[in-house]
Amino acid sequence: GPIFAQPDETHPGVEQVARFDFQVAIHEWRGEFIGEDVVVAHNASFDAGFLAAECGRSRVEWNEADRVACTMKLARRIVPGLGSYKLASVASSVGVRFDGQAHRAEADARVAGLVMEQLAMRLAARFRLAEIDPGLLVAVGSGRAADLERLVIA
């Protein structure tokens, strides 16, 4: 089969890619889509590294340490002892199943969001918290505190 798909609604042509303004897209993404929200991703260091590089090239403010909650890192702390911390394994362990194909951006993003919700609920139940601040999820997953209990109670 062909190496490159023909341009259509989901596959841009070479001309469209060449004209695409990544700097404008990054500014819009950071300002309008993300705003002050926390970004959720599984194995976030992969995605955050890419986002940080693109933001840097586009001169868009990005502070990964305060803005990214990694479901893989959170799962290591909230659901210890899993044999694997791949997204599918963590999802299965917290009762979330894939509705789409694994390793496809939309399906992975949806599952990571559902996994984050389950991890937050487990953290809230464990420490009897009425609600979970997104900043707490970032901090718990960041490894900035050696002791989970100290971090949550603080």
Side-chain angles (χ1 to χ4, degrees):
I3 295 175
F4 299 104
Q6 293 298 315
D8 61 21
E9 290 180 19
T10 58
H11 297 92
V14 172
E15 298 82 21
Q16 290 170 296
V17 172
R19 289 193 311 261
F20 188 77
D21 189 338
F22 282 97
Q23 288 189 341
V24 169
I26 290 292
H27 277 278
E28 288 175 359
W29 168 82
R30 172 64 180 89
E32 295 173 22
F33 182 68
I34 299 298
E36 296 303 315
D37 291 339
V38 168
V39 174
V40 172
H42 192 79
N43 193 13
S45 59
F46 174 81
D47 297 308
F50 169 77
L51 294 173
E54 287 303 311
C55 286
R57 276 184 353 109
S58 301
R59 295 179 186 87
V60 173
E61 180 185 334
W62 176 261
N63 184 356
E64 175 187 341
D66 296 331
R67 308 198 53 77
V68 178
C70 178
T71 54
M72 185 171 73
K73 289 180 180 178
L74 279 163
R76 288 182 189 277
R77 292 180 146 217
I78 298 170
V79 190
L82 295 180
S84 168
Y85 285 90
K86 292 180 179 180
L87 181 57
S89 299
V90 174
S92 177
S93 77
V94 297
V96 172
R97 66 181 192 87
F98 275 97
D99 288 331
Q101 185 178 2
H103 301 296
R104 304 297 297 174
E106 186 176 352
D108 284 1
R110 184 172 288 117
V111 169
L114 293 171
V115 165
M116 178 59 75
E117 186 176 73
Q118 291 299 314
L119 293 173
M121 288 182 355
R122 285 175 181 229
L123 188 65
R126 181 173 171 185
F127 292 98
R128 294 181 174 88
L129 302 172
E131 61 183 44
I132 298 284
D133 181 88
L136 177 62
L137 296 172
V138 172
V140 168
S142 72
R144 286 184 273 184
D147 184 345
L148 178 60
E149 286 75 17
R150 269 197 339 247
L151 178 63
V152 173
I153 293 169

